[in-house]
Amino acid sequence: MTKKKKMPSAGLRLVAGVLAATLAALPAAQACTGITLTAASGDVVRARTMEFNVNLEASVILVPHGYARTGSTPDGKPGLAWEAKYASIGANPMGLPYLIDGLNEKGLSMGLFYFDQSADYQPYDPADASKTMAPWQLGSYILDNFATVAEVKGALFDIVVAPVVFEQFNIVLPVHYVVTDTSGASVVIEYVDGKLDVHDNPIGIITNNPPFDWHMTNLQNYVNLGLENVPPQKLGDVTIAGLGQGTGLLGLPGDFTSPSRFVRAAIFAHGVDPSTDSSHAVFQAFHILNNFDIPKGVARDGEKDKQGNIISDYTQWTSANDLANRRFYFRTYDDSDIRMVDLTKQDLDAKDIQTWSMGGDEVFHELGAPQ
């Protein structure tokens, strides 16, 4: 006798259907990659790619001295209030006055990276509203108020980063953060299991899920990799030689998953020829990050938008922060020309946020007659 399968109730089926639809609609950003280079001069450059499957409509903005902010809370009460002590510059999402990557006038740099599956923010108590903010506000709070990584580490435990819904996506944004200063000191800030974790980041690399300490442990799986070619091996009377250059990195993971990109970024960032100064390090950083550029369509969830287009992560922009010279460099998916804004040449006491467009299409330059 066959046992009849018990069907879920209509209510459960409805909840499951809503959950499935919600999950399908969530923006994915699992492929951002961050690196840090230190030149022979001591200049530090932090660079990254920004991947997302919906257009972030990013601009470059300057946040001036004294810009007033109020943190958001889960229940809508006013959160932590502050004014910008330091001016900062970088990229914002969707016209918002918050940076998701950039640096301030003291050379402190910050980047937000997606942290799906692991992010779990601090529990919210309405009594703590006056020291609470949303996850997407923490990066700007750091740049507005601090000059060094040490200062940031000392202040993080005095605030609450709560699970506030990001209205543009109707989700609580799962993110973690990398913060780097002009000395090269770097930390990764994560909220896991409702608790704050601050990891020193001596390798200068960040990607996405799992947590940072897992990635550092995972590097031990690749101790066999090296930059030098492997010498020929003997198998009995047969000599086996490698097929061309790069045999030392045979087995290097080449896919777009977060663990694979972390390994690849660590090897490339620490294997590249040393930079002489910050300008050369910026040049090197963009070359390294070429290896993490994702064309539209090759990293997808299988879902389609309302127009029937495939939803997939792609590299919307790549940026580099020159901490020594306070410069923010970027290029976009539609324009590979590298553009730059120099924070030191701007009005840091402007009355409001200043904005530069990141838009533009690729220009192909035709060469003239041969010389």
Side-chain angles (χ1 to χ4, degrees):
M1 182 177 179
T2 303
K3 186 175 181 180
K4 187 176 181 180
K5 183 177 180 180
K6 185 177 180 180
M7 298 299 293
S9 68
L12 288 176
R13 290 198 299 272
L14 176 61
V15 171
V18 171
L19 178 59
T22 301
L23 292 175
L26 294 184
Q30 306 293 338
C32 301
T33 302
I35 62 173
T36 306
L37 301 179
T38 301
S41 61
D43 296 345
V44 177
V45 169
R46 186 189 60 77
R48 61 93 53 82
T49 65
M50 169 57 80
E51 281 75 20
F52 224 71
N53 66 11
V54 295
N55 187 355
L56 289 173
E57 302 172 11
S59 300
V60 173
I61 64 171
L62 180 149
V63 180
H65 295 144
Y67 188 80
R69 303 187 191 272
T70 302
S72 300
T73 64
D75 60 7
K77 291 183 177 180
L80 177 66
W82 75 92
E83 293 185 357
K85 178 180 179 181
Y86 302 117
S88 57
I89 197 164
N92 72 331
M94 299 180 165
L96 295 175
Y98 295 99
L99 295 179
I100 50 178
D101 200 87
L103 73 162
N104 69 17
E105 63 185 278
K106 294 297 183 180
L108 185 70
S109 175
M110 173 284 311
L112 272 70
F113 289 73
Y114 221 63
F115 195 41
D116 193 22
Q117 302 176 40
S118 295
D120 182 16
Y121 299 104
Q122 293 165 305
Y124 172 66
D125 184 338
D128 293 330
S130 63
K131 61 178 183 179
T132 298
M133 68 185 66
W136 68 88
Q137 297 171 328
L138 178 59
S140 285
Y141 174 75
I142 288 170
L143 295 183
D144 288 349
N145 288 286
F146 307 111
T148 66
V149 165
E151 289 180 8
V152 174
K153 292 170 71 174
L156 287 173
F157 292 91
D158 295 329
I159 62 173
V160 175
V161 176
V164 183
V165 172
F166 186 66
E167 293 182 359
Q168 285 76 1
F169 296 152
N170 197 31
I171 62 170
V172 176
L173 279 182
V175 294
H176 59 172
Y177 318 78
V178 63
V179 180
T180 307
D181 65 25
T182 56
S183 73
S186 182
V187 292
V188 171
I189 302 166
E190 297 178 336
Y191 293 88
V192 178
D193 295 330
K195 298 179 181 179
L196 167 65
D197 293 328
V198 182
H199 304 280
D200 289 329
N201 184 11
I203 202 165
I205 305 299
I206 185 172
T207 55
N208 312 103
N209 193 65
F212 179 77
D213 54 352
W214 184 97
H215 286 289
M216 292 298 289
T217 300
N218 185 51
L219 287 178
Q220 295 176 302
N221 288 317
Y222 298 92
V223 294
N224 59 301
L225 299 181
L227 302 175
E228 290 78 26
N229 288 331
V230 176
Q233 304 294 315
K234 294 283 291 185
L235 292 178
D237 295 330
V238 178
T239 298
I240 308 296
L243 295 173
Q245 288 279 51
T247 57
L249 292 178
L250 192 62
L252 179 70
D255 58 80
F256 289 130
T257 63
S258 178
S260 294
R261 286 182 289 103
F262 192 100
V263 173
R264 210 157 65 249
I267 291 175
F268 290 169
H270 291 273
V272 70
D273 286 344
S275 301
T276 54
D277 55 22
S278 61
S279 295
H280 188 226
V282 168
F283 174 79
Q284 292 277 52
F286 278 104
H287 272 292
I288 291 171
L289 292 176
N290 284 339
N291 295 275
F292 302 89
D293 196 73
I294 301 180
K296 289 182 179 179
V298 302
R300 63 179 78 173
D301 282 333
E303 301 293 334
K304 294 184 178 180
D305 62 18
K306 294 180 181 179
Q307 289 74 41
N309 300 312
I310 293 172
I311 300 174
S312 62
D313 269 23
Y314 66 99
T315 304
Q316 298 196 13
W317 43 265
T318 301
S319 63
N321 294 263
D322 178 351
L323 278 57
N325 295 298
R326 282 50 162 180
R327 293 173 176 173
F328 183 79
Y329 294 79
F330 70 94
R331 69 180 182 212
T332 68
Y333 190 88
D334 295 317
D335 186 359
S336 62
D337 184 42
I338 297 174
R339 289 165 277 173
M340 179 269 290
V341 181
D342 188 332
L343 179 59
T344 67
K345 295 180 179 179
Q346 311 308 318
D347 180 5
L348 306 190
D349 294 308
K351 293 182 179 180
D352 204 350
I353 285 177
Q354 306 297 297
T355 304
W356 293 261
S357 172
M358 294 177 75
D361 296 322
E362 191 75 46
V363 176
F364 297 93
H365 302 278
E366 181 180 359
L367 298 181
Q371 301 296 317

